[in-house]
Amino acid sequence: MERTELNILGEFGLIDRIASQSQIHNPTTIKGIGDDAAVVVADHGYQLLSSELLIEGVHFDLGYVPLKHLGYKVVVAGISDILAMNGTPKQITINIGLSNRFSVEAIDELYAGIFAACEDYEVELVGGDTTSSRSGLILSISAIGTVETEKITYRKGANANDIICVTGDLGGAYLGLQILEREKKVFLEAPEAQPVLTGHEYVLQRQLKPDARLDIIKQLRELNIVPTSMIDVSDGLASELRHLAAESGLGVRVFEEQIPIHQKSYLAATELKLGPFTAALNGGEDYELLFTIRQEDYQKILDHTTDISFIGFMSSDPTEAFFITKQNEAVPLTAQGWEK
Amino acid sequence: MERTELNILGEFGLIDRIASQSQIHNPTTIKGIGDDAAVVVADHGYQLLSSELLIEGVHFDLGYVPLKHLGYKVVVAGISDILAMNGTPKQITINIGLSNRFSVEAIDELYAGIFAACEDYEVELVGGDTTSSRSGLILSISAIGTVETEKITYRKGANANDIICVTGDLGGAYLGLQILEREKKVFLEAPEAQPVLTGHEYVLQRQLKPDARLDIIKQLRELNIVPTSMIDVSDGLASELRHLAAESGLGVRVFEEQIPIHQKSYLAATELKLGPFTAALNGGEDYELLFTIRQEDYQKILDHTTDISFIGFMSSDPTEAFFITKQNEAVPLTAQGWEK
């Protein structure tokens, strides 16, 4: 039998390969594989279904991630995909694989975080499977949500000259992770040393307890604005921009100086000798929303919302995928999945 | 901080502990944790949501499980919980964690099994997460389905004297697993030996490619019979009977000689020096349906269906949980979860 290494396909290649074989049997299925969430018909609109898998040693390191924060973050990761369809998350299920290494108190901590997030985002845990795992902790979350038919927002749908918006600020979660990794290394080399985390509370919070932007979805609804396309920033801005562009058959032009980066992220980046802009482009795990709006909605957002930045435009030329540096140079955006 | 070992709680204790902390925020949530699937309101009825986690080395051994069969079985495990609510499965998502040990061809085999099951059970794969895993293969499935409001069947709802029914036959999947384990041991001791599987095709198929009983749900609908309670047999008959009894506040009395056991299961049990009845009671993974019906529906089922056995009665005394042996002795049913 032939053997093709998985890394030749890459994550997105693998997803495309699976998606191309999937067949629709039920008329209630509106959209299957290939967006932030699946879309099925429900009462008064569409029902959305999304799913995420988090594995110890791959997605989190219990050496420095408190279980309560991990529980909170799993829920954020799960519902962020529902928000990215302009939907309201409603219910979640969590599957958990764990070894005897974990005590009941440890599991309680994890679920305390899960329930805190359920409270904050007005969703409920309605089920899930618990099982033993031989190695580390495994968490799988599925979320369902609803959206009015005329308000659903796919990755596809942007038009040329639509304005590209992003919420909050970017790169912080990645920089927080680098601070934690640095201190872990110090600790492993000299266990008596105390971790130096002071001054980095902001980026640490971005990594350990991110927010899902339900608030932005609510604001957009109040302003009666439906984005023309949307995705959540879980893999880094560059990758997400390329998704929106590819799905809409357009190009993108974004301006480096418009990318929102927190001053505490600049501080952490300087200390770590990393580029803050690179962290924003390729870092991931920010769980902010990236979306496009019609030109006529610009003023409404400017006047009535906070925490939304305008970072560029959709271009009619699908071969164009650039960011414009402060020195006015056009640099190609390169996406990075789990190949990196 | 206190430390309570997980095995003190056990699987069901852990689920109860989590369920007791869960709060409902959305009026569309009808039933959360604690049945085969969660229940949320949808168009013309309820929407059902269920979830399963399967981990290599815990739930399956790729040493003898072909990936295609594993893919098929994952879907069966996922939708069986929807059927157990008397629902029709509609969509599934599958999260997959895999290492570079797997080639693209291997993943294609896995998905060939997944799509074969989608075809057989008229469901579609609508999404899921793909990620890397440092150790083995991890599969998490979520399924959604629908059911008319008046036809939903919970674990709770049986009445005293309702007849207990079970589909197909029991114990085969467990005995198939024991045959595979025996041959694996032989192979490890003498790799040049050929596995002796001839004559055991039936129990091997029960283990490797089980069926979900969509056919029975369709039959019951045609006969206009709504079971009073139902559960799928994934952990063994004894455990499932105790669930139905406890949820309905009743006892159960089942008759050993009525338990459906295939002649090929008897054959395998004899060869393995195992009790076929014990395999049926405690084996698990049969994915048959266990349900209760009103006395007045008995004749209809007898006349118009095949592959349903009547194995006993619900008793008004909740302390009664017995099976009656062929020697007319009453023996208490003991449940086994993952403590075993």
Side-chain angles (χ1 to χ4, degrees):
Chain A
M1 195 162 128
E2 240 181 299
R3 180 179 168 94
T4 310
E5 298 304 325
L6 262 183
N7 56 13
I8 291 174
L9 273 189
E11 180 182 6
F12 302 131
L14 179 59
I15 294 168
D16 286 346
R17 193 175 176 95
I18 296 164
S20 69
Q21 299 170 69
S22 180
Q23 285 175 5
I24 305 288
H25 302 281
N26 291 296
T28 55
T29 302
I30 304 301
K31 168 88 188 176
I33 298 167
D35 215 300
D36 296 290
V39 182
V40 299
V41 177
D43 199 16
H44 307 304
Y46 290 145
Q47 195 122 12
L48 306 164
L49 177 62
S50 74
S51 225
E52 294 271 333
L53 179 63
L54 287 95
I55 300 174
E56 185 180 350
V58 177
H59 299 93
F60 56 88
D61 183 335
L62 291 178
Y64 51 72
V65 175
L67 282 164
K68 188 169 176 179
H69 287 71
L70 178 64
Y72 196 95
K73 188 170 174 172
V74 168
V75 178
V76 166
I79 65 172
S80 185
D81 284 327
I82 301 290
L83 298 172
M85 307 294 286
N86 206 21
T88 305
K90 297 276 185 179
Q91 290 92 8
I92 59 169
T93 62
I94 291 187
N95 291 345
I96 178 168
L98 41 90
S99 67
N100 281 333
R101 183 180 127 218
F102 296 95
S103 68
V104 173
E105 288 75 15
I107 304 304
D108 282 349
E109 273 295 292
L110 179 73
Y111 277 88
I114 290 170
F115 290 123
C118 285
E119 195 68 37
D120 285 357
Y121 299 108
E122 298 154 16
V123 298
E124 45 262 0
L125 179 69
V126 294
D129 195 12
T130 58
T131 187
S132 51
S133 154
R134 287 204 179 164
S135 46
L137 181 62
I138 297 165
L139 290 163
S140 178
I141 179 166
S142 287
I144 58 178
T146 56
V147 61
E148 290 167 60
T149 314
E150 65 279 13
K151 294 206 167 157
I152 191 160
T153 308
Y154 294 103
R155 292 181 182 178
K156 176 181 180 157
N159 303 299
N161 303 316
D162 280 358
I163 300 167
I164 303 171
C165 305
V166 71
T167 62
D169 60 87
L170 301 175
Y174 175 78
L175 292 162
L177 180 65
Q178 301 314 311
I179 295 280
L180 289 165
E181 288 282 355
R182 181 187 71 180
E183 294 309 312
K184 184 189 176 187
K185 218 173 134 189
V186 170
F187 174 79
L188 291 176
E189 283 164 10
E192 71 288 355
Q194 285 293 300
V196 183
L197 300 172
T198 323
H200 294 303
E201 291 80 1
Y202 181 76
V203 294
L204 292 173
Q205 160 123 358
R206 294 292 289 167
Q207 169 58 221
L208 295 174
K209 188 173 171 286
D211 293 320
R213 301 311 302 261
L214 178 60
D215 58 333
I216 297 289
I217 297 299
K218 287 182 175 175
Q219 279 181 34
L220 292 174
R221 257 178 232 169
E222 275 162 28
L223 295 173
N224 211 19
I225 292 172
V226 180
T228 52
S229 70
M230 183 150 54
I231 192 169
D232 69 324
V233 184
S234 54
D235 287 340
L237 181 63
S239 170
E240 317 303 0
L241 279 170
R242 290 178 69 97
H243 277 304
L244 288 193
E247 292 283 326
S248 299
L250 298 173
V252 291
R253 220 178 325 156
V254 298
F255 300 93
E256 181 179 358
E257 64 185 345
Q258 304 301 327
I259 308 289
I261 297 175
H262 198 277
Q263 71 173 96
K264 294 290 187 188
S265 297
Y266 277 109
L267 195 77
T270 307
E271 201 177 301
L272 292 160
K273 300 192 177 63
L274 292 170
F277 183 61
T278 306
L281 272 187
N282 299 318
E285 289 199 289
D286 288 314
Y287 298 109
E288 297 294 344
L289 294 171
L290 175 71
F291 56 95
T292 54
I293 56 163
R294 292 175 187 83
Q295 297 262 354
E296 59 261 39
D297 288 328
Y298 170 74
Q299 197 61 42
K300 255 199 284 186
I301 290 194
L302 197 65
D303 292 348
H304 298 283
T305 72
T306 52
D307 219 20
I308 294 177
S309 301
F310 307 100
I311 62 167
F313 299 91
M314 299 308 285
S315 147
S316 58
D317 177 1
T319 65
E320 209 182 44
F322 292 117
F323 67 93
I324 315 294
T325 67
K326 288 169 188 167
Q327 293 76 36
N328 215 24
E329 285 173 291
V331 178
L333 283 167
T334 45
Q336 300 186 319
W338 53 226
E339 301 95 311
K340 64 180 167 186
Chain B
M1 194 160 129
E2 240 181 297
R3 180 179 169 93
T4 311
E5 299 304 326
L6 262 183
N7 56 12
I8 291 174
L9 273 187
E11 179 181 5
F12 302 132
L14 178 59
I15 294 168
D16 286 347
R17 193 176 175 95
I18 296 165
S20 69
Q21 299 170 66
S22 181
Q23 285 174 6
I24 305 288
H25 302 281
N26 292 296
T28 55
T29 303
I30 304 301
K31 169 88 187 174
I33 298 166
D35 215 299
D36 296 290
V39 183
V40 300
V41 177
D43 198 18
H44 307 303
Y46 291 145
Q47 194 122 14
L48 307 163
L49 177 62
S50 74
S51 226
E52 293 272 334
L53 180 61
L54 287 95
I55 300 173
E56 184 180 350
V58 176
H59 299 94
F60 55 88
D61 183 334
L62 291 179
Y64 50 72
V65 176
L67 282 164
K68 189 170 177 179
H69 288 71
L70 178 64
Y72 195 95
K73 187 169 174 174
V74 167
V75 178
V76 166
I79 66 173
S80 185
D81 284 327
I82 301 291
L83 298 171
M85 308 294 287
N86 205 20
T88 306
K90 298 277 187 178
Q91 290 92 9
I92 59 169
T93 62
I94 291 187
N95 291 343
I96 178 167
L98 40 91
S99 67
N100 281 332
R101 184 180 125 218
F102 296 96
S103 68
V104 172
E105 288 76 16
I107 304 305
D108 282 348
E109 272 295 292
L110 179 73
Y111 277 88
I114 289 170
F115 289 124
C118 285
E119 196 67 36
D120 285 356
Y121 300 107
E122 298 155 16
V123 299
E124 46 261 0
L125 178 69
V126 293
D129 196 10
T130 57
T131 187
S132 51
S133 154
R134 287 205 180 164
S135 45
L137 181 61
I138 297 163
L139 290 164
S140 177
I141 180 166
S142 286
I144 58 179
T146 56
V147 61
E148 288 168 62
T149 315
E150 65 279 12
K151 295 207 164 155
I152 191 161
T153 308
Y154 295 101
R155 291 180 183 180
K156 175 181 180 159
N159 303 300
N161 304 317
D162 281 358
I163 299 167
I164 303 172
C165 307
V166 73
T167 62
D169 61 88
L170 302 176
Y174 175 78
L175 292 163
L177 180 64
Q178 300 316 309
I179 294 280
L180 289 165
E181 288 282 354
R182 182 188 70 178
E183 294 309 311
K184 184 189 176 186
K185 220 173 135 189
V186 170
F187 173 79
L188 291 175
E189 284 164 10
E192 72 288 355
Q194 285 292 301
V196 183
L197 301 171
T198 322
H200 295 304
E201 291 80 1
Y202 181 76
V203 294
L204 292 174
Q205 161 125 355
R206 294 291 290 165
Q207 168 58 222
L208 295 174
K209 189 174 170 284
D211 293 320
R213 302 309 304 260
L214 178 60
D215 58 333
I216 297 289
I217 297 300
K218 286 182 175 174
Q219 280 182 32
L220 292 174
R221 257 177 233 165
E222 274 161 28
L223 295 174
N224 212 17
I225 293 173
V226 179
T228 53
S229 70
M230 183 152 53
I231 191 168
D232 70 322
V233 184
S234 53
D235 288 340
L237 181 64
S239 169
E240 317 303 0
L241 280 169
R242 290 179 69 98
H243 276 304
L244 288 193
E247 291 284 326
S248 298
L250 297 173
V252 291
R253 220 177 327 154
V254 297
F255 300 92
E256 182 180 359
E257 61 184 347
Q258 303 301 328
I259 308 290
I261 297 175
H262 197 278
Q263 71 173 95
K264 294 289 186 187
S265 298
Y266 278 108
L267 194 77
T270 306
E271 200 177 301
L272 291 160
K273 299 191 175 64
L274 292 170
F277 185 60
T278 307
L281 272 187
N282 298 319
E285 292 198 287
D286 288 314
Y287 298 109
E288 297 293 343
L289 294 171
L290 176 71
F291 57 95
T292 54
I293 56 163
R294 291 174 187 84
Q295 298 262 354
E296 58 260 39
D297 288 328
Y298 169 74
Q299 197 60 44
K300 254 199 285 187
I301 289 192
L302 197 64
D303 293 347
H304 299 283
T305 73
T306 51
D307 219 19
I308 295 178
S309 301
F310 307 101
I311 62 168
F313 299 90
M314 298 307 285
S315 147
S316 58
D317 178 1
T319 65
E320 209 183 43
F322 292 116
F323 67 93
I324 315 296
T325 67
K326 289 171 187 167
Q327 294 75 35
N328 215 23
E329 286 174 291
V331 179
L333 282 166
T334 46
Q336 299 185 321
W338 52 223
E339 303 94 310
K340 64 179 163 184

